[in-house]
Amino acid sequence: MTEETKTATTTISKTRLEILFDGVFAIAMTILVLEIKTPELSDRHSISEMAQALREQVGTIFSYLLSFTVLGIMWYRHNYLYRHFHRITAGMFALHILMLASAAFFPFCAALMGRYPTNLLTMVIYSGCIMIYNWASLASWLVAKRTDSFSPDFAPSTYHRIWRRTLRGGIVLTILFFMCIFNAWTR
Amino acid sequence: MTEETKTATTTISKTRLEILFDGVFAIAMTILVLEIKTPELSDRHSISEMAQALREQVGTIFSYLLSFTVLGIMWYRHNYLYRHFHRITAGMFALHILMLASAAFFPFCAALMGRYPTNLLTMVIYSGCIMIYNWASLASWLVAKRTDSFSPDFAPSTYHRIWRRTLRGGIVLTILFFMCIFNAWTR
Amino acid sequence: MTEETKTATTTISKTRLEILFDGVFAIAMTILVLEIKTPELSDRHSISEMAQALREQVGTIFSYLLSFTVLGIMWYRHNYLYRHFHRITAGMFALHILMLASAAFFPFCAALMGRYPTNLLTMVIYSGCIMIYNWASLASWLVAKRTDSFSPDFAPSTYHRIWRRTLRGGIVLTILFFMCIFNAWTR
Amino acid sequence: MTEETKTATTTISKTRLEILFDGVFAIAMTILVLEIKTPELSDRHSISEMAQALREQVGTIFSYLLSFTVLGIMWYRHNYLYRHFHRITAGMFALHILMLASAAFFPFCAALMGRYPTNLLTMVIYSGCIMIYNWASLASWLVAKRTDSFSPDFAPSTYHRIWRRTLRGGIVLTILFFMCIFNAWTR
């Protein structure tokens, strides 16, 4: 068995993981809207009644926009990582599943944020979900380095730049996460 | 760092944004159907009872067809823009997220339209959502021009033609939007 | 403007329509499962109670399998048409939107079939939805012929074979549809 | 009609089946989250009340993680099979539809697992669904062999390795399935 054949039998298709990844993000983004409920009006023509019903959902609509943006940023950042991968090993796949599980869990976090934005536990869960995504992302970057899975033309400077940026994000999110926990605890 | 490497590190994959975009549209189109509720019949075999239950949902079914068509037209028009892009810059991505947030919000607009077609606020929201999509679309076109992100073989005449068409659409939608607001206000 | 440029500006990307099409089918297939409701058990450990709850949903589960198969066959047949298209004109796109609107409407038909399999109106709607899909499919085949949108290596014999098969399907479905209407009427 | 033309008219596009497959998995994975319900709190700010509401859903959240992982493993394993296929025949497509029907059914199994993890019938259905997927997967492997649908550079040793692994999985799942049935029966 040549080296190339061996590689082919121990890694998965990069294109297909891309479709799965983009698919999960597209769905997670789109089902956010299911949290915004159609109001029940007693007078079908009443503008003021509908305006009132929508005002009650202003938190959910704000959470929709925020969470859509957060998922958009997650997806955007994944682009910068993913393009440098030459192959996807089993370890990198496992970490991608963890990333996807966080992203697919996000509509629930968004629903909590929409309904209970002032509850401190909401902030813990919301920031925790993003934090897990970010650390899994960093870990997949690390594993790619360990298993030598980068493209041949990959510059070490790029490695360090993305590493620093993702690490910085991870640290900020972790501090935020523990501040939320601390706040929730001492309340 | 060569010019090409720089480009590669400041733009995202055109193919992947395409999958995300098409994915969000496919889902937004398909979850429109979730608004059409299975009727609750007291007599399972009664044709007249089911016909009656469906007649009550005729607004929702009409809104389904209308909104499916609107999303189809949005998607169709995006094709004409997108094919001329050579690369996707961060600004263009941000505008695409705004476009996707409008498109993913559309099932909610469709639900309002289905339940309360005669409420003037429904028209304000429905036309407002399409209007935001259209302006974001025009802005991404403008940003592509500013950041020199068109294909090398891109003809200026094509730029102006698509610009005029999208602008016209934007103006019509904005007039419609403000007419709806005006109507709702003076009611 | 050369012929090729003109073609490029009046047709849409075949690959993108493929993603939209496959996306809508994937979602329509998967949300069929949302009709099967988690039972509410008074005794969480009771096997007989859950078995009873599932027996009550046997129609929905059967409809799930049937509708999944129907969508699978629709998708399968589309493969044979689509591969011969060289380009997608506006008319073909409009017909594809009609096909997709039928396919995305199918989960509602499946829900009716699951809940009210013995109601004649269910059969009218279920067969009607497949029938519309089939005629739209045939029309897109015809329009492709009219607008000369087939691949250069496309054999006329293939055209006639697929035409006959789709026409036959359309006729069978239309007869079925009118038999259902007739039955419902005379009941 | 040459051999190649004949092949083209009796098989479907491998790329498109890939998109459909990955799409169904992406959606099945993402709609798992819809089972986790937003809690209804009497005091919007109460941390303890939300913590309590989430504790009641700990089974659902655990089932979410488990089922996401199971779907991830299914998808991962499909990669190893699928890459060796040179073409997709009608029989292989039918088996893929069975695989997809199992995968799309999985959110229902996950919902049962989340709500009634201690009910023996849940285990029967959950393991049964994975078992059907696995046997359909093995059958598609067998049919590919029979119809000579492997890539030209496909090594027989790879065939036997994947065959053994999938068979082993199938046997383990079947034993598990019948143990669950036996347990449920003798209870």
Side-chain angles (χ1 to χ4, degrees):
Chain A
M1 194 182 278
T2 67
E3 182 58 32
E4 202 174 298
T5 320
K6 206 178 153 195
T7 298
T9 55
T10 55
T11 60
I12 61 160
S13 158
K14 195 183 158 186
T15 316
R16 286 194 64 184
L17 184 54
E18 214 168 278
I19 298 176
L20 188 75
F21 195 94
D22 296 353
V24 168
F25 267 79
I27 301 150
M29 280 170 165
T30 318
I31 63 174
L32 290 176
V33 83
L34 298 180
E35 267 313 302
I36 312 176
K37 306 291 179 207
T38 324
E40 298 289 334
L41 307 185
S42 53
D43 174 9
R44 299 170 65 84
H45 304 278
S46 166
I47 295 170
S48 61
E49 207 183 336
M50 196 192 270
Q52 178 55 33
L54 292 177
R55 257 196 297 278
E56 278 162 21
Q57 290 204 70
V58 81
T60 308
I61 293 168
F62 175 77
S63 167
Y64 170 78
L65 292 174
L66 176 70
S67 307
F68 207 98
T69 309
V70 169
L71 283 171
I73 292 169
M74 282 174 171
W75 186 85
Y76 179 75
R77 290 190 149 219
H78 184 257
N79 254 272
Y80 285 94
L81 263 68
Y82 202 72
R83 66 150 55 108
H84 299 298
F85 295 155
H86 174 61
R87 52 172 199 171
I88 311 293
T89 59
M92 285 159 78
F93 175 73
L95 286 164
H96 268 80
I97 287 294
L98 183 54
M99 287 162 80
L100 288 179
S102 314
F105 191 73
F106 210 62
F108 174 69
C109 304
L112 285 186
M113 179 63 93
R115 294 276 303 271
Y116 308 111
T118 53
N119 195 309
L120 284 169
L121 208 54
T122 297
M123 281 306 297
V124 171
I125 295 167
Y126 200 90
S127 61
C129 188
I130 308 176
M131 185 189 71
I132 290 171
Y133 178 88
N134 199 83
W135 286 123
S137 186
L138 192 72
S140 83
W141 192 241
L142 200 73
V143 168
K145 173 83 173 175
R146 289 267 166 91
T147 56
D148 201 20
S149 305
F150 287 117
S151 303
D153 61 339
F154 180 62
S157 65
T158 309
Y159 174 78
H160 290 297
R161 191 159 41 78
I162 293 184
W163 169 265
R164 274 196 303 273
R165 195 166 61 178
T166 315
L167 185 64
R168 214 182 303 133
I171 291 170
V172 168
L173 284 162
T174 308
I175 291 173
L176 190 68
F177 177 67
F178 280 105
M179 271 170 60
C180 292
I181 285 191
F182 182 78
N183 268 342
W185 204 263
T186 55
R187 179 57 77 85
Chain B
M1 195 182 276
T2 66
E3 183 55 34
E4 202 174 297
T5 320
K6 207 180 152 194
T7 298
T9 55
T10 54
T11 60
I12 61 161
S13 158
K14 195 183 159 185
T15 317
R16 287 193 64 185
L17 185 55
E18 214 167 279
I19 298 176
L20 188 75
F21 195 93
D22 295 354
V24 168
F25 267 80
I27 302 150
M29 281 170 165
T30 318
I31 62 175
L32 290 175
V33 83
L34 298 181
E35 267 312 302
I36 312 175
K37 306 292 179 207
T38 323
E40 298 289 334
L41 308 184
S42 53
D43 174 9
R44 300 169 65 83
H45 304 279
S46 166
I47 295 171
S48 61
E49 206 183 336
M50 197 192 268
Q52 178 56 33
L54 292 177
R55 258 196 298 277
E56 279 162 21
Q57 291 203 68
V58 82
T60 308
I61 292 168
F62 175 77
S63 165
Y64 169 80
L65 292 174
L66 176 70
S67 308
F68 208 97
T69 309
V70 169
L71 283 171
I73 293 169
M74 282 175 171
W75 186 86
Y76 179 75
R77 291 190 148 216
H78 183 257
N79 256 271
Y80 286 94
L81 263 68
Y82 202 72
R83 65 151 53 108
H84 298 298
F85 296 154
H86 173 61
R87 52 171 200 170
I88 311 292
T89 59
M92 286 159 78
F93 175 73
L95 286 164
H96 269 80
I97 287 293
L98 183 56
M99 287 161 81
L100 288 179
S102 315
F105 191 74
F106 210 62
F108 174 69
C109 304
L112 285 186
M113 180 62 93
R115 294 274 304 272
Y116 308 110
T118 52
N119 194 309
L120 283 169
L121 208 53
T122 297
M123 281 306 296
V124 171
I125 295 167
Y126 200 89
S127 62
C129 188
I130 308 175
M131 184 189 71
I132 290 172
Y133 178 88
N134 200 83
W135 286 123
S137 187
L138 191 73
S140 83
W141 192 240
L142 200 74
V143 168
K145 173 83 172 175
R146 289 267 164 92
T147 56
D148 200 21
S149 305
F150 288 116
S151 302
D153 61 339
F154 181 61
S157 65
T158 310
Y159 174 79
H160 290 297
R161 191 159 40 78
I162 293 185
W163 168 265
R164 274 196 302 274
R165 194 167 61 178
T166 315
L167 185 65
R168 215 182 302 133
I171 290 170
V172 168
L173 284 162
T174 307
I175 292 172
L176 190 68
F177 177 67
F178 281 105
M179 271 171 60
C180 292
I181 285 190
F182 181 78
N183 268 343
W185 204 264
T186 54
R187 178 58 78 83
Chain C
M1 196 183 276
T2 68
E3 183 57 33
E4 201 173 298
T5 320
K6 206 178 153 195
T7 298
T9 54
T10 55
T11 61
I12 61 160
S13 158
K14 195 184 158 186
T15 317
R16 287 194 65 183
L17 184 54
E18 214 168 279
I19 297 176
L20 188 75
F21 195 94
D22 295 354
V24 168
F25 267 79
I27 301 150
M29 280 170 165
T30 318
I31 62 175
L32 289 176
V33 84
L34 298 180
E35 267 313 302
I36 312 175
K37 305 294 179 206
T38 323
E40 298 288 335
L41 307 185
S42 53
D43 174 8
R44 299 170 65 84
H45 304 278
S46 166
I47 295 169
S48 61
E49 206 183 335
M50 196 192 270
Q52 179 55 33
L54 292 178
R55 257 195 299 277
E56 279 162 21
Q57 291 203 67
V58 82
T60 308
I61 292 169
F62 175 78
S63 166
Y64 169 79
L65 293 174
L66 176 69
S67 308
F68 207 98
T69 308
V70 170
L71 283 171
I73 293 169
M74 282 175 171
W75 186 87
Y76 179 76
R77 290 190 149 217
H78 183 257
N79 255 272
Y80 285 94
L81 263 67
Y82 202 72
R83 64 151 54 109
H84 299 298
F85 296 154
H86 174 59
R87 51 170 200 170
I88 311 293
T89 59
M92 286 159 77
F93 175 73
L95 286 164
H96 268 79
I97 286 293
L98 183 55
M99 287 162 80
L100 288 179
S102 315
F105 191 73
F106 210 62
F108 174 69
C109 304
L112 286 186
M113 179 63 94
R115 294 276 301 272
Y116 308 110
T118 51
N119 195 308
L120 283 169
L121 208 53
T122 297
M123 280 307 296
V124 171
I125 295 167
Y126 200 89
S127 61
C129 187
I130 308 176
M131 185 190 70
I132 290 171
Y133 177 89
N134 200 83
W135 286 122
S137 186
L138 192 72
S140 82
W141 192 242
L142 200 73
V143 168
K145 174 83 172 174
R146 289 267 166 90
T147 56
D148 200 21
S149 305
F150 287 117
S151 303
D153 61 338
F154 180 62
S157 66
T158 310
Y159 174 79
H160 290 297
R161 191 160 39 77
I162 293 184
W163 168 264
R164 275 196 302 272
R165 194 166 62 179
T166 314
L167 185 64
R168 214 183 302 133
I171 291 170
V172 169
L173 284 162
T174 308
I175 292 172
L176 190 68
F177 176 68
F178 280 105
M179 272 171 59
C180 292
I181 284 190
F182 181 78
N183 267 342
W185 204 264
T186 56
R187 177 59 76 83
Chain D
M1 195 182 277
T2 67
E3 183 57 33
E4 201 174 300
T5 320
K6 205 179 154 197
T7 298
T9 54
T10 55
T11 61
I12 61 160
S13 158
K14 195 184 158 186
T15 317
R16 286 193 66 184
L17 185 55
E18 214 168 279
I19 297 176
L20 188 75
F21 195 94
D22 296 353
V24 168
F25 267 80
I27 301 150
M29 280 169 164
T30 318
I31 63 174
L32 289 175
V33 83
L34 298 180
E35 267 312 303
I36 312 175
K37 305 292 179 209
T38 323
E40 297 289 335
L41 307 185
S42 53
D43 174 9
R44 300 169 65 83
H45 304 279
S46 167
I47 296 169
S48 61
E49 207 183 335
M50 196 192 271
Q52 178 54 34
L54 292 177
R55 258 196 297 276
E56 278 162 21
Q57 291 204 66
V58 82
T60 308
I61 292 168
F62 175 78
S63 167
Y64 170 79
L65 293 174
L66 177 70
S67 308
F68 207 98
T69 308
V70 169
L71 283 171
I73 293 169
M74 282 174 171
W75 186 86
Y76 179 74
R77 291 191 148 217
H78 183 257
N79 255 272
Y80 285 94
L81 263 68
Y82 201 72
R83 65 151 53 109
H84 299 298
F85 296 154
H86 174 60
R87 52 171 200 171
I88 312 292
T89 59
M92 286 159 78
F93 175 72
L95 287 163
H96 268 80
I97 286 293
L98 183 55
M99 288 161 80
L100 288 179
S102 314
F105 192 73
F106 210 61
F108 174 68
C109 304
L112 285 186
M113 180 61 94
R115 293 276 302 271
Y116 308 110
T118 52
N119 195 308
L120 283 169
L121 207 53
T122 297
M123 280 307 296
V124 171
I125 295 167
Y126 199 89
S127 61
C129 187
I130 308 175
M131 185 189 70
I132 290 171
Y133 177 88
N134 200 84
W135 286 122
S137 185
L138 192 71
S140 82
W141 192 241
L142 200 73
V143 169
K145 174 83 172 175
R146 289 267 166 91
T147 56
D148 201 20
S149 305
F150 287 117
S151 303
D153 61 338
F154 181 61
S157 65
T158 309
Y159 174 79
H160 290 296
R161 190 158 42 77
I162 292 184
W163 169 264
R164 275 196 303 272
R165 193 165 63 177
T166 314
L167 184 64
R168 215 182 303 134
I171 291 171
V172 169
L173 284 162
T174 308
I175 292 173
L176 190 68
F177 177 67
F178 281 104
M179 272 171 58
C180 292
I181 285 191
F182 181 78
N183 268 341
W185 205 263
T186 56
R187 178 56 78 84

